[in-house]
mmCIF file of all heavy atoms in Angstrom:
data_model
loop_
_atom_site.group_PDB
_atom_site.id
_atom_site.type_symbol
_atom_site.label_atom_id
_atom_site.label_comp_id
_atom_site.label_asym_id
_atom_site.label_seq_id
_atom_site.Cartn_x
_atom_site.Cartn_y
_atom_site.Cartn_z
ATOM 1 N N PRO H 102 -1.484 -8.766 14.367
ATOM 2 C CA PRO H 102 -2.950 -8.650 14.476
ATOM 3 C C PRO H 102 -3.593 -9.842 15.190
ATOM 4 O O PRO H 102 -4.592 -9.681 15.892
ATOM 5 C CB PRO H 102 -3.402 -8.563 13.019
ATOM 6 C CG PRO H 102 -2.222 -8.009 12.290
ATOM 7 C CD PRO H 102 -1.019 -8.602 12.976
ATOM 8 N N ILE H 103 -3.019 -11.026 15.005
ATOM 9 C CA ILE H 103 -3.566 -12.227 15.660
ATOM 10 C C ILE H 103 -3.303 -12.139 17.164
ATOM 11 O O ILE H 103 -4.176 -12.403 17.995
ATOM 12 C CB ILE H 103 -2.883 -13.510 15.124
ATOM 13 C CG1 ILE H 103 -2.886 -13.536 13.601
ATOM 14 C CG2 ILE H 103 -3.527 -14.753 15.741
ATOM 15 C CD1 ILE H 103 -4.165 -13.874 12.953
ATOM 16 N N GLU H 104 -2.067 -11.754 17.491
ATOM 17 C CA GLU H 104 -1.708 -11.662 18.903
ATOM 18 C C GLU H 104 -2.568 -10.592 19.596
ATOM 19 O O GLU H 104 -2.990 -10.771 20.738
ATOM 20 C CB GLU H 104 -0.217 -11.329 19.018
ATOM 21 C CG GLU H 104 0.283 -11.417 20.443
ATOM 22 C CD GLU H 104 1.776 -11.704 20.508
ATOM 23 O OE1 GLU H 104 2.222 -12.743 19.986
ATOM 24 O OE2 GLU H 104 2.499 -10.870 21.078
ATOM 25 N N LYS H 105 -2.841 -9.506 18.893
ATOM 26 C CA LYS H 105 -3.633 -8.430 19.476
ATOM 27 C C LYS H 105 -5.082 -8.873 19.676
ATOM 28 O O LYS H 105 -5.717 -8.534 20.671
ATOM 29 C CB LYS H 105 -3.563 -7.198 18.557
ATOM 30 C CG LYS H 105 -4.214 -5.961 19.131
ATOM 31 C CD LYS H 105 -3.486 -5.453 20.374
ATOM 32 C CE LYS H 105 -4.167 -4.208 20.912
ATOM 33 N NZ LYS H 105 -3.602 -3.824 22.218
ATOM 34 N N TYR H 106 -5.605 -9.627 18.730
ATOM 35 C CA TYR H 106 -6.984 -10.132 18.827
ATOM 36 C C TYR H 106 -7.096 -11.115 19.988
ATOM 37 O O TYR H 106 -8.144 -11.246 20.612
ATOM 38 C CB TYR H 106 -7.329 -10.823 17.506
ATOM 39 C CG TYR H 106 -8.798 -11.125 17.282
ATOM 40 C CD1 TYR H 106 -9.599 -10.227 16.572
ATOM 41 C CD2 TYR H 106 -9.377 -12.308 17.746
ATOM 42 C CE1 TYR H 106 -10.936 -10.505 16.330
ATOM 43 C CE2 TYR H 106 -10.717 -12.584 17.516
ATOM 44 C CZ TYR H 106 -11.490 -11.684 16.807
ATOM 45 O OH TYR H 106 -12.826 -11.957 16.580
ATOM 46 N N GLY H 107 -5.994 -11.788 20.272
ATOM 47 C CA GLY H 107 -5.987 -12.893 21.245
ATOM 48 C C GLY H 107 -5.898 -14.182 20.446
ATOM 49 O O GLY H 107 -6.773 -14.463 19.621
ATOM 50 N N VAL H 108 -4.834 -14.936 20.635
ATOM 51 C CA VAL H 108 -4.580 -16.099 19.778
ATOM 52 C C VAL H 108 -5.714 -17.116 19.894
ATOM 53 O O VAL H 108 -6.245 -17.616 18.891
ATOM 54 C CB VAL H 108 -3.212 -16.744 20.131
ATOM 55 C CG1 VAL H 108 -2.961 -17.969 19.269
ATOM 56 C CG2 VAL H 108 -2.093 -15.718 19.937
ATOM 57 N N ASP H 109 -6.125 -17.408 21.113
ATOM 58 C CA ASP H 109 -7.186 -18.395 21.308
ATOM 59 C C ASP H 109 -8.518 -17.875 20.754
ATOM 60 O O ASP H 109 -9.257 -18.602 20.086
ATOM 61 C CB ASP H 109 -7.323 -18.738 22.794
ATOM 62 C CG ASP H 109 -8.237 -19.928 23.010
ATOM 63 O OD1 ASP H 109 -7.768 -21.073 22.786
ATOM 64 O OD2 ASP H 109 -9.419 -19.718 23.348
ATOM 65 N N ALA H 110 -8.803 -16.615 21.009
ATOM 66 C CA ALA H 110 -10.062 -16.026 20.525
ATOM 67 C C ALA H 110 -10.094 -16.024 19.002
ATOM 68 O O ALA H 110 -11.134 -16.296 18.385
ATOM 69 C CB ALA H 110 -10.214 -14.603 21.057
ATOM 70 N N PHE H 111 -8.936 -15.729 18.393
ATOM 71 C CA PHE H 111 -8.887 -15.699 16.929
ATOM 72 C C PHE H 111 -9.141 -17.101 16.370
ATOM 73 O O PHE H 111 -9.905 -17.267 15.408
ATOM 74 C CB PHE H 111 -7.543 -15.153 16.434
ATOM 75 C CG PHE H 111 -7.520 -14.900 14.957
ATOM 76 C CD1 PHE H 111 -7.958 -13.680 14.454
ATOM 77 C CD2 PHE H 111 -7.089 -15.869 14.074
ATOM 78 C CE1 PHE H 111 -7.965 -13.441 13.088
ATOM 79 C CE2 PHE H 111 -7.088 -15.643 12.702
ATOM 80 C CZ PHE H 111 -7.529 -14.419 12.211
ATOM 81 N N ALA H 112 -8.493 -18.094 16.977
ATOM 82 C CA ALA H 112 -8.682 -19.476 16.521
ATOM 83 C C ALA H 112 -10.156 -19.873 16.657
ATOM 84 O O ALA H 112 -10.744 -20.466 15.744
ATOM 85 C CB ALA H 112 -7.781 -20.418 17.322
ATOM 86 N N ARG H 113 -10.746 -19.511 17.782
ATOM 87 C CA ARG H 113 -12.161 -19.828 18.027
ATOM 88 C C ARG H 113 -13.048 -19.180 16.958
ATOM 89 O O ARG H 113 -13.889 -19.840 16.352
ATOM 90 C CB ARG H 113 -12.538 -19.290 19.415
ATOM 91 C CG ARG H 113 -13.996 -19.490 19.817
ATOM 92 C CD ARG H 113 -14.335 -18.591 21.001
ATOM 93 N NE ARG H 113 -14.263 -17.175 20.604
ATOM 94 C CZ ARG H 113 -13.957 -16.180 21.426
ATOM 95 N NH1 ARG H 113 -13.663 -16.406 22.696
ATOM 96 N NH2 ARG H 113 -13.927 -14.929 20.989
ATOM 97 N N ASP H 114 -12.817 -17.886 16.697
ATOM 98 C CA ASP H 114 -13.681 -17.169 15.759
ATOM 99 C C ASP H 114 -13.429 -17.585 14.311
ATOM 100 O O ASP H 114 -14.348 -17.578 13.492
ATOM 101 C CB ASP H 114 -13.505 -15.654 15.940
ATOM 102 C CG ASP H 114 -14.052 -15.191 17.292
ATOM 103 O OD1 ASP H 114 -14.683 -16.018 17.993
ATOM 104 O OD2 ASP H 114 -13.833 -14.013 17.654
ATOM 105 N N LEU H 115 -12.184 -17.936 14.010
ATOM 106 C CA LEU H 115 -11.871 -18.428 12.667
ATOM 107 C C LEU H 115 -12.582 -19.761 12.421
ATOM 108 O O LEU H 115 -13.187 -19.978 11.363
ATOM 109 C CB LEU H 115 -10.354 -18.582 12.493
ATOM 110 C CG LEU H 115 -9.857 -19.173 11.172
ATOM 111 C CD1 LEU H 115 -10.348 -18.345 9.980
ATOM 112 C CD2 LEU H 115 -8.328 -19.261 11.154
ATOM 113 N N ALA H 116 -12.529 -20.639 13.425
ATOM 114 C CA ALA H 116 -13.200 -21.929 13.296
ATOM 115 C C ALA H 116 -14.712 -21.722 13.171
ATOM 116 O O ALA H 116 -15.369 -22.343 12.331
ATOM 117 C CB ALA H 116 -12.873 -22.818 14.498
ATOM 118 N N ALA H 117 -15.244 -20.800 13.970
ATOM 119 C CA ALA H 117 -16.693 -20.545 13.942
ATOM 120 C C ALA H 117 -17.130 -19.974 12.593
ATOM 121 O O ALA H 117 -18.252 -20.207 12.148
ATOM 122 C CB ALA H 117 -17.071 -19.588 15.068
ATOM 123 N N ALA H 118 -16.224 -19.230 11.932
ATOM 124 C CA ALA H 118 -16.541 -18.645 10.627
ATOM 125 C C ALA H 118 -16.429 -19.667 9.493
ATOM 126 O O ALA H 118 -16.694 -19.343 8.348
ATOM 127 C CB ALA H 118 -15.621 -17.459 10.350
ATOM 128 N N GLY H 119 -16.011 -20.880 9.838
ATOM 129 C CA GLY H 119 -15.871 -21.912 8.818
ATOM 130 C C GLY H 119 -14.497 -21.948 8.191
ATOM 131 O O GLY H 119 -14.280 -22.643 7.196
ATOM 132 N N GLY H 120 -13.540 -21.198 8.754
ATOM 133 C CA GLY H 120 -12.185 -21.193 8.229
ATOM 134 C C GLY H 120 -11.464 -22.508 8.528
ATOM 135 O O GLY H 120 -11.779 -23.186 9.510
ATOM 136 N N SER H 121 -10.511 -22.832 7.675
ATOM 137 C CA SER H 121 -9.784 -24.101 7.837
ATOM 138 C C SER H 121 -8.504 -23.951 8.643
ATOM 139 O O SER H 121 -8.021 -24.923 9.214
ATOM 140 C CB SER H 121 -9.414 -24.669 6.465
ATOM 141 O OG SER H 121 -10.556 -24.791 5.661
ATOM 142 N N GLY H 122 -7.945 -22.755 8.634
ATOM 143 C CA GLY H 122 -6.681 -22.593 9.351
ATOM 144 C C GLY H 122 -6.000 -21.303 8.992
ATOM 145 O O GLY H 122 -6.621 -20.378 8.465
#
Side-chain angles (χ1 to χ4, degrees):
Chain H
I103 310 284
E104 188 155 301
K105 187 65 180 172
Y106 194 94
V108 179
D109 190 78
F111 189 87
R113 178 196 66 209
D114 292 352
L115 176 57
S121 305

